[in-house]
Amino acid sequence: MQVQIFEYPHPFALEQGGQLPGFQLAYTTSGQLSAARDNVVWVCHALTGHADPASWWPGLFGPGDLFGPERCFTVCANMLGSCYGSTHALSDDPGTGTPYYHRFPLLTNRDMVRAFDLLRAHLGIRHIHLAIGGSMGGQHVLEWAVMRPELFGHLVPVATNAQHSPWGIAWNESQRMAIEADATWREDRPDAGMEGMRAARAMALLSYRSYEGYAARQQEAGEAADGFRASSYQRHQGEKLYRRFNAFSYWTLSKAMDSHHVGRGRGGVEAALAQVRARTLVIGVDSDVLFPVAEQQRIAAGIAGAEYAEITSLYGHDGFLVETAALAAILRRWLAAVPARQTGLRA
């Protein structure tokens, strides 16, 4: 799957003030748009994800899968602020010819979704048959469906919420404090804050998993007094992100996640959810402590006709990425029940 670049060369005003002088989004497509143009599937990725959903949601987007290229025209764009090809803090500021670094502006989820919508228009897509995303990607899917309700036929927000919680914001702020504690973070250099981000990722993993999951997979076989499996696992996870991400993007995107509130300026969450017209399936993970299932149930209760389904998993929030077989089974059942009057993608 080849990454393409969408260049937007005009000033882009931001929700909380300021602007970008222009931006680029990295994106991928797979499959062919049908003659009826009714097979578009738009995928929104999570915090540190990228525009190749087949690699991080295996079993959903490959040949023969539920959203395989022989059936669907799938689009996935890397969000603004991310370091996987879209404009972010290490991109050059056209006004100075040097990277933005700490001068990169505050982005909100609403800004990111507006950028997606510009890409959609550029691609000539007038209707999205199904939009799906998990975690921060689910926030984007939901924000987009409130912003442009006429655009979507089906909506699948997974392990997400309508407004980021004080609990979630506290987790993100604690991770940013770890980045701030790295003395290099104050400097304008590409590797600023990276040791802090390594610690931040280890911290974040505790909110992505569950007590039961650690007990099942990281329990000691003997009677060790040091060098625990759980300890090495945390360091391993921090190192993995260290090798593929940067602290500036981590900072930018976690701030954007905190900003998520579909009801801001729209009369509150329930009033915003009531604007969604798409046939909606909201999916939660029973062991999720970061986005508890009550948050997904609130979304389902607020959207007319929405259904709620739940994945059973030891993996906590990460269950939405790990339990792809269970996720696919839920989606197949739901798509098979599409009313006969609705055309397009079927299970």
Side-chain angles (χ1 to χ4, degrees), residues 6-311:
F6 165 56
E7 296 277 358
Y8 185 74
H10 311 290
F12 183 69
L14 302 173
E15 183 191 4
Q16 295 299 305
Q19 67 175 24
L20 288 170
F23 65 80
Q24 69 176 35
L25 291 182
Y27 71 97
T28 63
T29 65
S30 68
Q32 298 293 322
L33 190 61
S34 66
R37 307 176 74 86
D38 62 354
N39 66 334
V40 175
V41 173
W42 198 293
V43 189
C44 292
H45 67 78
L47 182 78
T48 64
H50 50 70
D52 181 11
S55 68
W56 47 262
W57 241 348
L60 290 178
F61 298 98
D65 291 338
L66 179 59
F67 302 124
E70 67 279 2
R71 306 176 64 230
C72 305
F73 180 66
T74 299
V75 184
C76 183
N78 184 230
M79 67 180 79
L80 271 181
S82 174
C83 56
Y84 288 119
S86 295
T87 297
H88 65 293
L90 297 186
S91 302
D92 284 345
D93 176 353
T96 65
T98 59
Y100 287 96
Y101 292 124
H102 296 281
R103 294 179 292 105
F104 195 71
L106 175 69
L107 301 178
T108 68
N109 273 355
R110 204 164 289 182
D111 295 322
M112 295 172 175
V113 167
R114 287 176 49 238
F116 292 158
D117 202 54
L118 289 167
L119 169 60
R120 174 201 60 79
H122 169 75
L123 294 174
I125 295 171
R126 297 182 180 179
H127 177 75
I128 296 174
H129 185 72
L130 184 146
I132 182 170
S135 192
M136 191 172 182
Q139 292 178 337
H140 289 162
V141 162
L142 200 59
E143 171 64 36
W144 204 355
V146 172
M147 181 185 296
R148 295 292 307 273
E150 78 288 352
L151 187 61
F152 299 92
H154 300 76
L155 201 69
V156 186
V158 185
T160 193
N161 52 19
Q163 176 182 356
H164 208 46
S165 67
W167 173 247
I169 293 168
W171 273 106
N172 285 342
E173 185 66 20
S174 297
Q175 292 166 60
R176 290 190 293 267
M177 288 171 66
I179 293 173
E180 285 180 317
D182 183 333
T184 66
W185 177 242
R186 302 172 182 83
E187 303 175 29
D188 282 350
R189 50 188 259 196
D191 62 347
M194 289 295 285
E195 290 299 329
M197 189 192 73
R198 195 197 306 257
R201 184 61 167 188
M203 186 186 304
L205 195 70
L206 299 176
S207 71
Y208 300 158
R209 299 297 173 87
S210 71
Y211 177 95
E212 292 78 12
Y214 271 82
R217 299 183 64 86
Q218 305 303 329
Q219 185 68 47
E220 298 301 318
E223 299 179 350
D226 196 7
F228 298 104
R229 291 182 63 184
S231 300
S232 62
Y233 183 68
Q234 295 305 103
R235 292 183 176 276
H236 170 68
Q237 292 296 329
E239 179 66 20
K240 281 176 62 178
L241 191 71
Y242 180 93
R243 291 180 180 275
R244 70 176 180 88
F245 218 63
N246 71 68
F248 288 98
S249 284
Y250 203 83
W251 184 280
T252 297
L253 302 188
S254 67
K255 282 278 191 179
M257 176 181 277
D258 290 353
S259 78
H260 178 62
H261 185 346
V262 297
R264 184 170 55 248
R266 296 169 175 152
V269 167
E270 276 62 41
L273 293 176
Q275 297 179 41
V276 176
R277 300 180 196 170
R279 179 174 181 258
T280 301
L281 174 66
V282 188
I283 302 175
V285 181
D286 66 346
S287 56
D288 192 340
V289 297
L290 184 57
F291 291 80
V293 296
E295 296 193 323
Q296 292 91 64
Q297 291 165 350
R298 182 188 187 189
I299 296 169
I303 298 175
E307 299 177 46
Y308 171 74
E310 196 167 290
I311 295 170

